Amino acid sequence: MSTDPGDTTEDPAEDPAEVVEEDGYSVEHLRREGLMTSPGAEIVPHDGTGRVELSFTVEDSGGAPPNQRSVRVPPGVTVFDSASWNGIAIDSTCGGHGTCHKCKVRVDTSTPISRHDVRTFTRDQIDAGWRLACLVQATRDLKVTVPPLTTRPKAATVGVGRQVILRPAVQKRYVELEEPNLADQRTDIDRLLGAIDDLAPRPDLHALRRLPHVVRAADWKVTAVIVDEVLVDVEPGDTTEQRYAIAFDLGTTTVVATLLDVALGTPVGVASMLNKQQPYGGDVITRISATMMDPATLPRLQQAAAATLSELAQQVCREGGVDPAHVYEVAIAGNATMTALVLGIDPEPLGVAPFVMSTAQPPTVLATDLGLDLHPRARAVFFPALGAYVGGDIVAGMLATGMDRDKRTRLFIDVGTNCELVVSDGDRILSTAAPAGPAFEGGAIKCGMRAADGAIEVIKLDTTPDAPDRAVQLGVIGDVEPKGLCGSGLVDAVAELVRVGLLDSSGRFIPDEQAPEVAPALADRLTRIGEERVFVLHRPHPDAPADECVVLSQRDVRELQFAKAAISTGWTLLLEELELEHRDVQQVLMAGSFGSYISPASAVRIGLVPKLPVLRIVSAGNVAGEGAKMALLSVRERAGAAALLQEVTYVELSDRPDFNDRFVDQLSF
């Protein structure tokens, strides 16, 4: 059995016939959907529901014990994307297209073999489980061994199917200077800048203050630290390998930080936590209202945001074993309200018509101004916003997913309290926002909770009369006793009840007397708490009364109904603006924490997304965070984010006279 995926010779095996018909789709059709042919192994089908668990064993090049990490992802996500979303570094330079042949991993289970695998590995290596990670779809639980990074990549792959040429704003140059003498009395700064032959930075005051002491204490062997065109510091010795930056996804509910080694283009540490602004409200409107009612709330919200960013920065630096003083830049992707609050800008104009931002392009500030204890001259850069409710996080997501580069018709949906939508037909890009409400995050739901241990995230209903113990099958985060229902579980519950017929198309539970005929194995779960009808999802014990159970109520169904109607109205109107129909959409990107874990089949069934084959619906992951990483790894991509302001047209839905009528049309399941 071979365990070395290094130099290989091509296997002369030929690809088998590549046309296979299944449910009306040929393999050629699937290739156009972004999939690959899979000769030589059984394809494990999936319906877009549930979760799979990937157990990664990440080997260390220095001989340290392997790092063990398990992650749960929706079925169909590639092994490479699953690793990338969770901060696990796998070699790659081609953007996940299978052409660089670098993302080599070993899987413990027989998986389909692509033509790129055949060209990369020997037959023995293929038999041993070696595959290209970007071409292995996780349709079942897998154990994956990741070899050490063996190359210093010239390109860093981040985002969803995007290639980034590694060209960070943070640069370092090690120089050995000649000591001054009476014949050579050049200034210290001229001596340093003259030794840097490929850059022409201008020094800032911090660097000038440190320069005289550092160069003499270091025997004139120093490293110049340059951010964009500014010399921000001079460090003793050779520190060129120590270049770090932090990408923040500043969400209303959750904030995610990723520490990047910008010399390699790889993640070093990832951490997330609830936004410390939560006590002031679960959504942006509530927080804006809080500042309007009490002017003292704005500095408190700013302080809470700063504390969140600071705690996460410390956490990822500890995780990566990195000195915070070697972090020279941060990028922040947040919606317009979060960006305003972290900068201490009054958000009131964002919350009242005509919804005006103070600026579409926030200024670059020092990280210390945001409460971050990093390098004293570390900069914080913000993504631009398209509108009051299509902010920098969506621009970052569009950058990561290449919405301005792909010629396919694509729909981008970031589901949250406020749902942002982007549609591109390959030439024009339109965006808008729809008020989804808190239902997807467990708010206003009777047994709702966030996606934490004990939350039901997957639901399957079985109407087979002779299998009552399998009537309700639950997937629970943490594999513990169910405590409540998170957003993806809510969508699953409603979709399944619609499928089995216990919910009609109007969103009402069917009458009690009809339930035994429609779904006899489930009829006893349809009951009442007071006057409200509920469906029991989990009983803590067989005789538990309904008010002690985890239930889905009629009001919960209505909350989801209103949220999905707002979203589907939004993308329907955008498609009409482009003179397109829902069947013209070639790919749907479900972004954000909730969007990444929703069942595509359930989303289609309730009408949250266009009625398309589930293979066209892609869990895009934390694309806002991925866009922030791209901005740190490539100044070219950062310029691309700014260019999106001119390329994307924002469509305001609130002033459309037909919005309410269209909203009502979208209420039915």
Side-chain angles (χ1 to χ4, degrees):
M1 178 180 292
S2 173
T3 58
D4 181 8
D7 295 335
T8 62
T9 57
E10 293 189 6
D11 192 295
E14 296 180 355
D15 292 344
E18 295 188 343
V19 178
V20 178
E21 297 292 338
E22 182 178 346
D23 296 334
Y25 294 101
S26 66
V27 169
E28 185 62 31
H29 174 82
L30 296 180
R31 183 185 290 109
R32 289 195 298 270
E33 300 288 351
L35 304 178
M36 301 296 299
T37 58
S38 303
E42 174 191 1
I43 300 175
V44 178
H46 69 87
D47 60 2
T49 64
R51 300 288 182 275
V52 296
E53 182 170 294
L54 301 184
S55 299
F56 287 95
T57 299
V58 184
E59 298 177 341
D60 186 87
S61 59
N67 181 32
Q68 306 289 337
R69 181 85 176 272
S70 294
V71 302
R72 289 161 63 88
V73 297
V77 175
T78 67
V79 168
F80 182 84
D81 282 341
S82 301
S84 177
W85 296 353
N86 291 279
I88 299 170
I90 297 178
D91 267 338
S92 177
T93 60
C94 72
H97 296 293
T99 57
C100 75
H101 299 186
K102 293 183 181 295
C103 60
K104 301 170 182 177
V105 298
R106 190 172 70 247
V107 295
D108 72 323
T109 305
S110 177
T111 59
I113 305 166
S114 77
R115 60 179 179 273
H116 291 291
D117 291 320
V118 172
R119 294 167 184 163
T120 305
F121 303 107
T122 66
R123 176 55 59 185
D124 287 344
Q125 289 169 343
I126 288 175
D127 292 342
W130 286 99
R131 300 288 188 274
L132 294 178
C134 64
L135 301 179
V136 178
Q137 288 193 334
T139 56
R140 66 177 100 179
D141 293 350
L142 295 174
K143 293 182 180 179
V144 182
T145 301
V146 180
L149 294 174
T150 58
T151 61
R152 184 183 181 88
K154 297 181 180 178
T157 303
V158 290
V160 180
R162 288 277 277 107
Q163 180 180 358
V164 176
I165 302 302
L166 191 60
R167 189 186 170 193
V170 178
Q171 299 287 334
K172 283 190 171 184
R173 296 293 184 269
Y174 172 68
V175 294
E176 297 184 3
L177 307 176
E178 294 183 2
E179 293 188 42
N181 53 52
L182 291 176
D184 180 5
Q185 293 183 330
R186 287 178 296 163
T187 63
D188 290 343
I189 190 63
D190 286 342
R191 194 176 303 276
L192 176 64
L193 297 181
I196 303 173
D197 54 10
D198 61 334
L199 298 171
R202 63 182 187 278
D204 75 356
L205 183 57
H206 176 82
L208 289 174
R209 285 172 172 169
R210 283 176 48 81
L211 181 61
H213 170 73
V214 171
V215 293
R216 288 165 176 83
D219 195 25
W220 301 92
K221 299 174 182 179
V222 296
T223 299
V225 183
I226 301 155
V227 182
D228 274 341
E229 299 177 354
V230 180
L231 176 70
V232 299
D233 206 353
V234 181
E235 298 172 344
D238 185 353
T239 64
T240 52
E241 298 300 311
Q242 300 170 20
R243 283 189 283 156
Y244 299 96
I246 300 177
F248 287 105
D249 172 17
L250 180 58
T252 307
T253 304
T254 306
V255 184
V256 181
T258 304
L259 177 65
L260 295 171
D261 181 339
V262 297
L264 294 173
T266 55
V268 178
V270 181
S272 65
M273 65 182 296
L274 288 178
N275 193 322
K276 291 181 181 291
Q277 295 177 341
Q278 285 292 311
Y280 297 91
D283 56 76
V284 296
I285 296 299
T286 307
R287 294 181 200 176
I288 292 172
S289 299
T291 65
M292 294 168 64
M293 291 185 290
D294 181 3
T297 301
L298 176 56
R300 295 187 190 121
L301 283 167
Q302 183 182 13
Q303 184 178 14
T308 305
L309 298 178
S310 178
E311 187 171 327
L312 283 172
Q314 294 172 22
Q315 186 173 340
V316 293
C317 286
R318 283 196 305 270
E319 179 183 327
V322 171
D323 184 348
H326 289 141
V327 178
Y328 303 99
E329 195 171 40
V330 302
I332 299 175
N335 63 47
T337 301
M338 290 300 100
T339 300
L341 291 175
V342 76
L343 289 171
I345 299 172
D346 183 6
E348 180 178 348
L350 296 170
V352 295
F355 313 112
V356 176
M357 298 181 291
S358 60
T359 177
Q361 177 63 74
T364 297
V365 300
L366 289 177
T368 54
D369 294 338
L370 304 180
L372 293 170
D373 186 16
L374 305 172
H375 186 275
R377 304 304 292 174
R379 309 182 317 166
V381 296
F382 291 85
F383 275 81
L386 295 166
Y389 291 98
V390 179
D393 52 344
I394 304 306
V395 173
M398 285 192 282
L399 179 71
T401 54
M403 290 296 289
D404 60 333
R405 301 179 181 219
D406 201 308
K407 291 303 179 183
R408 292 175 294 175
T409 297
R410 305 167 85 201
L411 169 61
F412 175 101
I413 304 178
D414 191 325
V415 181
T417 304
N418 188 64
C419 176
E420 295 88 0
L421 303 161
V422 182
V423 174
S424 170
D425 64 359
D427 294 315
R428 297 176 59 199
I429 308 175
L430 304 182
S431 70
T432 192
F440 293 118
E441 296 174 351
I445 303 301
K446 189 175 187 69
C447 295
M449 63 179 291
R450 300 193 190 283
D453 285 353
I456 299 171
E457 61 172 347
V458 177
I459 297 171
K460 292 274 194 179
L461 300 182
D462 190 339
T463 58
T464 307
D466 56 355
D469 57 324
R470 299 179 61 250
V472 178
Q473 302 165 46
L474 304 177
V476 183
I477 298 176
D479 296 323
V480 297
E481 181 81 6
K483 300 176 183 176
L485 193 64
C486 68
S488 61
L490 172 66
V491 173
D492 263 9
V494 171
E496 285 290 277
L497 287 166
V498 170
R499 181 182 64 83
V500 302
L502 291 179
L503 274 174
D504 63 24
S505 61
S506 71
R508 286 183 177 273
F509 284 116
I510 64 174
D512 291 334
E513 57 271 17
Q514 293 181 13
E517 301 175 6
V518 173
L522 300 167
D524 66 322
R525 292 176 176 267
L526 201 56
T527 182
R528 294 178 184 269
I529 296 179
E531 296 299 316
E532 186 174 28
R533 302 188 73 199
V534 300
F535 180 83
V536 176
L537 295 168
H538 171 71
R539 294 187 177 100
H541 55 85
D543 299 324
D547 57 0
E548 295 179 7
C549 300
V550 180
V551 301
L552 178 79
S553 72
Q554 182 67 73
R555 184 175 300 176
D556 297 341
V557 176
R558 292 290 180 237
E559 289 287 341
L560 178 63
Q561 208 166 2
F562 293 147
K564 83 96 183 175
I567 294 170
S568 56
T569 301
W571 54 255
T572 297
L573 291 174
L574 289 185
L575 288 173
E576 289 180 0
E577 287 279 337
L578 295 174
E579 299 181 348
L580 298 171
E581 298 182 8
H582 75 270
R583 63 173 175 267
D584 296 320
V585 177
Q586 295 170 278
Q587 185 182 61
V588 178
L589 296 163
M590 300 291 290
S593 298
F594 170 75
S596 295
Y597 288 94
I598 187 176
S599 157
S602 295
V604 170
R605 183 168 287 121
I606 69 171
L608 182 65
V609 300
K611 293 190 182 300
L612 300 168
V614 294
L615 290 173
R616 295 194 194 181
I617 301 169
V618 178
S619 297
N622 177 17
V623 288
E626 295 295 336
K629 296 177 198 176
M630 293 171 69
L632 293 171
L633 296 178
S634 170
V635 292
R636 182 178 299 176
E637 297 295 339
R638 192 176 304 182
L644 283 170
L645 289 185
Q646 308 302 321
E647 298 178 33
V648 182
T649 301
Y650 178 72
V651 178
E652 180 60 60
L653 297 181
S654 60
D655 63 349
R656 288 186 64 121
D658 59 342
F659 181 82
N660 288 338
D661 291 339
R662 305 302 294 275
F663 175 84
V664 172
D665 292 341
Q666 296 292 333
L667 283 171
S668 62
F669 291 123

